[in-house]
Amino acid sequence: MGTPSNCSSVSSKRKKGEKSKRNSMRSTMGELLVLPFLSRFPIPCDANASHSRIQKDYFGVLMAYGGLQEFLREQKSEFTANLVRSRVLPLYSVSVCLPYLVASANWILGELASCLPEDISADVYSSLLKALQMLDKGDTSCYPVRASAAGAIVGLLENDYMPPEWYPLLQVIVGRIGYEDEENSILFELLSSVVGAANENVADHIPYIVSSLVAAISKHMHPSSEPWPQVVERGFAALALMAQSWENFLREEVELDQSSGKWESGQAAIAKAFSALLQQAWLTHIQPLECEVSAPPSCIDDSSMLLRSIILSVSERNVIEELKLSELLLVWADLIGDWHAWEETEDLSVFDCIKEIVNLHSKYELKNFIVRQMPPPPAPPVPPQSIIEGIGAFLSEAILQYPSATWRACSCVHTLLHVPKYSFETEGVKQSLTISFSCAAFSRFRAIQSKPSSLWKPVVLAISSCYLCYPAVVEGILKKDEDGGFALWGSALAFLCSSSLEPRLSLESEIKLAVLTLAKVVERLLGLGNPGSSLLQDCYASLMEAAVQLKEVQEDEENDEGDDEEAEDKEDDNEESEDDDEDSEGDECEETEEEFLERYAKAAVNLENNTLVEEGDVEDQEHDIELGSLDEVDQLKVVASSIERYHNVIMQGQTLSSQLISKFLKAYPQLTYLLLHS
């Protein structure tokens, strides 16, 4: 009812009072009027289900129950359970086909899944599983029944319902996949939810499921389709999730020392299925005389997960040839090297795959990894892009364009430069990678260097890795900057080593990289003949501090190893109490509404001022740096040489700050011990 404008101020207080009164009467109105009225309509059964009037009336009843879902969620769980038990579940036992009634019932059960008690959830799940298997009746399609049942089962799983057995559900899902394209997409989505909820409970069945799914997906994959059909994309997503679950399960088995031939055969079966699928997706596009590949760039993230699973299954060199892994890696490297769709998805699996590829090459020396073989005539005698060159192009683009990927991309930079063994013939590839990485990292640093942030750390350390490989080349690149790029980077590195900026250099590999790089920088600046420069003094002071910190971190790690052994003995006795502590800690650390609003208000201000920097997930910032091929002995000689030369500068009475002299005197004994110890 409308209220005249001149009466609005008088009636506003009365409205507020009446609002709470209406809310309190709401449940009474539903219980006294609406639900009793709906209960007058008989539920269809075998005796009356053939009457169209009864079917139509009860369809209206189910729609009304659906409209009352908010009201039903506010009631006690027993009340809602009784309604479901008496007015919804009996529909699933009717022998007559009532597809639209059952589909509506599925919808209601899915909407009420969050408020159903545990004692009725089993009956609800059993009814939904029955509906998921309903076949078409002549010209009557039961697709709405199966689709709504799939959605309702997902709702149950999201509300922590765990079926007593997973295999019957998996069998139904896998058995239905492959019949209808639209339904396949829904079933793949349901399968992903099931695998995500079940975790290790479905590990035994993953090899069988993977083989069945690959056969179904292959039927919908056509060489000319770009992008892939939705059913193929969702199929790849489901396979990637199963690959991750299988990997987690195997890791737990290895930790428990329970791995056996059964799991090895399962891993081999999964790898063969994944390899066959990727071969069909990628290698069928290669013509005999072509040296380049034009495979569709679909599902890069999920494909990377499948490829990583194949790599993890390799235990002998001949497996690489059997699975055509080198050929698959070439196509994959070409795809990611030309990948520009980060606005749609962050392909984090690509970075994990990169590190596994480098490790595999370290063991078996992959073909075409560093330098690709010349193509046969009549192709021009120019070697196409190798695997590592495709990966390098991807990483440079990630550092340059996508702040959220900076941490992982920079971590892979260290891996590519230091882990593979480059020969004299392949030094050119390493140098070209160094140039590409240093240009991309410095460009990213210039974009954020006005204000210290956590993104300083990965890009500055990435430049440091490049500098250790080719100091003169990187220095030349940095000096092209009009504002003194070499001094900017050197000052930033010194700042990272001596400041309290979070995240600090905390890992041993990070500090070691900083020490080695600062020593090279100090050596270079001393060679310029200006020992009193502020940059030289800052770098040397930071070298002292970083060297001391490195020694302390190494000693802490040795002590932690001893503490870990003692802790393992007490772990079994304290498991329950630790779980309770974790729960309480989680409650204590939960963000309050005020903190949430304050954080987003700051982000909004930064966004408005164009100062917001995406810094990636916290777990991205905890990756250790791989410094595999760095000759530590030679690098430590550089550190010792820098110390000796700068010590001579001090002895010659150069004008130095008292702060620097104090740091030098404090660090020199510990640094000398560190060098001798290393």
Side-chain angles (χ1 to χ4, degrees):
M1 296 175 62
T3 303
S5 58
N6 58 352
C7 300
S8 59
S9 59
V10 179
S11 61
S12 59
K13 293 183 180 179
R14 185 177 63 185
K15 284 185 176 180
K16 292 179 181 178
E18 290 177 349
K19 182 178 180 181
S20 59
K21 184 178 179 181
R22 286 197 303 269
N23 287 338
S24 63
M25 294 178 62
R26 185 177 175 186
S27 60
T28 305
M29 184 69 71
E31 293 175 12
L32 295 180
L33 180 61
V34 180
L35 291 178
F37 172 75
L38 294 177
S39 65
R40 294 172 51 189
F41 296 92
I43 186 169
C45 59
D46 289 335
N48 60 16
S50 58
H51 294 75
S52 61
R53 177 62 182 272
I54 291 179
Q55 293 185 28
K56 292 178 181 179
D57 286 347
Y58 211 74
F59 181 78
V61 171
L62 293 174
M63 291 296 100
Y65 287 149
L68 292 169
Q69 59 184 269
E70 185 178 346
F71 161 76
L72 293 173
R73 290 194 192 103
E74 295 173 353
Q75 307 308 306
K76 293 182 178 180
S77 58
E78 293 81 5
F79 178 87
T80 306
N82 288 333
L83 178 69
V84 168
R85 189 177 285 111
S86 60
R87 302 288 290 171
V88 179
L89 292 183
L91 288 171
Y92 294 89
S93 59
V94 178
S95 58
V96 180
C97 179
L98 304 171
Y100 292 101
L101 293 183
V102 176
S104 302
N106 293 340
W107 167 60
I108 293 170
L109 295 178
E111 294 298 321
L112 298 179
S114 60
C115 60
L116 293 176
E118 188 175 349
D119 59 345
I120 196 177
S121 294
D123 295 334
V124 170
Y125 169 75
S126 177
S127 300
L128 292 173
L129 183 60
K130 182 178 180 181
L132 188 64
Q133 304 174 69
M134 185 176 289
L135 302 176
D136 297 342
K137 307 293 184 180
D139 296 334
T140 304
S141 172
C142 290
Y143 165 74
V145 177
R146 296 188 292 269
S148 57
I153 291 174
V154 170
L156 278 179
L157 298 178
E158 288 176 349
N159 285 279
D160 300 327
Y161 174 74
M162 295 287 118
E165 293 184 52
W166 293 96
Y167 184 69
L169 176 58
L170 292 171
Q171 200 172 26
V172 171
I173 297 173
V174 175
R176 287 292 313 171
I177 289 176
Y179 288 97
E180 299 179 19
D181 288 353
E182 188 175 4
E183 189 172 344
N184 287 339
S185 299
I186 295 173
L187 291 172
F188 277 126
E189 193 171 349
L190 173 58
L191 181 61
S192 297
S193 299
V194 170
V195 175
N199 294 320
E200 69 277 359
N201 294 319
V202 297
D204 288 354
H205 312 299
I206 286 180
Y208 153 73
I209 299 172
V210 165
S211 300
S212 302
L213 292 186
V214 166
I217 295 171
S218 299
K219 297 176 183 178
H220 298 272
M221 191 180 296
H222 306 290
S224 58
S225 61
E226 183 181 341
W228 287 339
Q230 186 184 55
V231 60
V232 176
E233 292 185 350
R234 291 195 175 180
F236 266 71
L239 290 175
L241 187 59
M242 280 185 279
Q244 184 63 59
S245 297
W246 178 261
E247 182 186 338
N248 295 339
F249 174 73
L250 282 186
R251 189 183 299 118
E252 293 176 1
E253 292 295 307
V254 170
E255 290 176 357
L256 297 173
D257 198 24
Q258 294 180 357
S259 56
S260 64
K262 175 184 177 182
W263 310 123
E264 293 175 2
S265 62
Q267 178 68 41
I270 292 173
K272 287 181 180 178
F274 287 164
S275 176
L277 184 63
L278 292 179
Q279 286 179 46
Q280 180 182 354
W282 293 342
L283 301 186
T284 53
H285 297 262
I286 304 177
Q287 299 300 323
L289 297 180
E290 286 185 350
C291 60
E292 296 294 334
V293 180
S294 58
S298 299
C299 303
I300 293 292
D301 192 42
D302 296 327
S303 299
S304 300
M305 179 62 74
L306 304 190
L307 196 59
R308 182 171 181 269
S309 181
I310 297 172
I311 294 171
L312 293 175
S313 71
V314 175
S315 56
E316 298 176 354
R317 183 181 296 275
N318 64 313
V319 177
I320 297 176
E321 298 179 2
E322 292 176 2
L323 300 177
K324 291 192 175 183
L325 191 51
S326 295
E327 293 84 345
L328 293 175
L329 289 176
L330 273 176
V331 181
W332 176 81
D334 286 339
L335 289 175
I336 66 170
D338 194 37
W339 180 242
H340 304 288
W342 285 72
E343 296 82 4
E344 301 174 8
T345 179
E346 295 178 5
D347 301 282
L348 301 181
S349 296
V350 177
F351 299 110
D352 296 329
C353 191
I354 288 172
K355 295 196 173 184
E356 292 300 336
I357 292 171
V358 175
N359 292 335
L360 186 68
H361 174 72
S362 300
K363 292 180 182 179
Y364 301 109
E365 294 189 3
L366 293 169
K367 184 173 62 175
N368 297 321
F369 181 74
I370 297 179
V371 177
R372 192 165 176 178
Q373 296 176 350
M374 290 285 187
V382 178
Q385 181 176 260
S386 65
I387 296 173
I388 201 170
E389 288 171 331
I391 294 173
F394 169 79
L395 294 178
S396 297
E397 184 74 6
I399 295 171
L400 198 58
Q401 301 292 341
Y402 311 107
S404 61
T406 301
W407 281 92
R408 285 178 174 263
C410 289
S411 177
C412 290
V413 165
H414 306 295
T415 304
L416 257 62
L417 291 179
H418 302 310
V419 175
K421 294 180 180 179
Y422 296 90
S423 64
F424 177 78
E425 293 79 10
T426 59
E427 275 295 315
V429 176
K430 182 177 181 180
Q431 185 170 340
S432 66
L433 288 174
T434 301
I435 294 171
S436 177
F437 292 153
S438 56
C439 288
F442 186 67
S443 296
R444 169 54 55 192
F445 175 68
R446 289 290 280 135
I448 61 174
Q449 60 103 22
S450 60
K451 181 182 179 182
S453 70
S454 62
L455 278 186
W456 275 31
K457 176 177 165 181
V459 294
V460 169
L461 290 181
I463 299 172
S464 300
S465 267
C466 296
Y467 186 77
L468 286 180
C469 295
Y470 297 98
V473 173
V474 175
E475 183 178 343
I477 293 171
L478 299 180
K479 284 188 174 180
K480 290 179 181 178
D481 183 75
E482 296 178 356
D483 298 327
F486 184 75
L488 282 175
W489 164 70
S491 300
L493 180 59
F495 176 78
L496 283 177
C497 295
S498 59
S499 75
S500 57
L501 177 71
E502 291 296 337
R504 300 184 60 193
L505 300 184
S506 55
L507 300 174
E508 179 183 351
S509 57
E510 294 174 347
I511 304 170
K512 184 180 292 184
L513 176 60
V515 167
L516 298 178
T517 307
L518 285 170
K520 283 248 183 186
V521 173
V522 168
E523 187 82 5
R524 171 60 178 156
L525 294 175
L526 284 171
L528 296 177
N530 186 14
S533 70
S534 59
L535 177 60
L536 176 56
Q537 293 195 25
D538 290 343
C539 289
Y540 196 78
S542 297
L543 173 60
M544 295 290 99
E545 292 185 18
V548 173
Q549 185 185 2
L550 178 60
K551 179 175 180 293
E552 293 172 350
V553 168
Q554 289 174 335
E555 291 176 348
D556 290 342
E557 288 182 355
E558 292 176 0
N559 295 334
D560 289 342
E561 289 178 3
D563 295 340
D564 289 342
E565 292 178 0
E566 295 179 7
E568 285 177 3
D569 298 334
K570 300 178 181 179
E571 240 178 49
D572 295 336
D573 300 331
N574 298 331
E575 275 184 0
E576 294 182 2
S577 61
E578 285 176 3
D579 291 339
D580 295 339
D581 292 341
E582 287 177 4
D583 294 340
S584 61
E585 286 175 7
D587 295 338
E588 292 172 3
C589 297
E590 186 175 352
E591 187 178 36
T592 64
E593 182 179 355
E594 291 77 9
E595 292 171 341
F596 172 83
L597 294 174
E598 182 181 358
R599 179 163 58 87
Y600 271 81
K602 291 180 180 178
V605 172
N606 291 335
L607 185 62
E608 186 176 340
N609 298 331
N610 294 323
T611 58
L612 182 65
V613 178
E614 299 178 61
E615 301 186 346
D617 296 329
V618 175
E619 58 265 24
D620 294 344
Q621 305 173 10
E622 299 174 353
H623 288 283
D624 207 348
I625 292 177
E626 295 189 53
L627 303 175
S629 65
L630 274 179
D631 191 333
E632 188 171 331
V633 175
D634 288 345
Q635 299 293 344
L636 288 172
K637 288 179 181 177
V638 175
V639 179
S641 174
S642 300
I643 295 170
E644 183 180 2
R645 290 186 64 180
Y646 211 73
H647 177 264
N648 293 335
V649 169
I650 295 176
M651 293 298 102
Q652 292 170 10
Q654 294 288 341
T655 303
L656 304 174
S657 66
S658 58
Q659 183 182 14
L660 176 59
I661 294 175
S662 173
K663 289 181 178 179
F664 176 83
L665 294 176
K666 177 183 177 182
Y668 191 79
Q670 292 175 302
L671 188 57
T672 304
Y673 169 80
L674 169 67
L675 296 173
L676 294 174
H677 181 70
S678 298

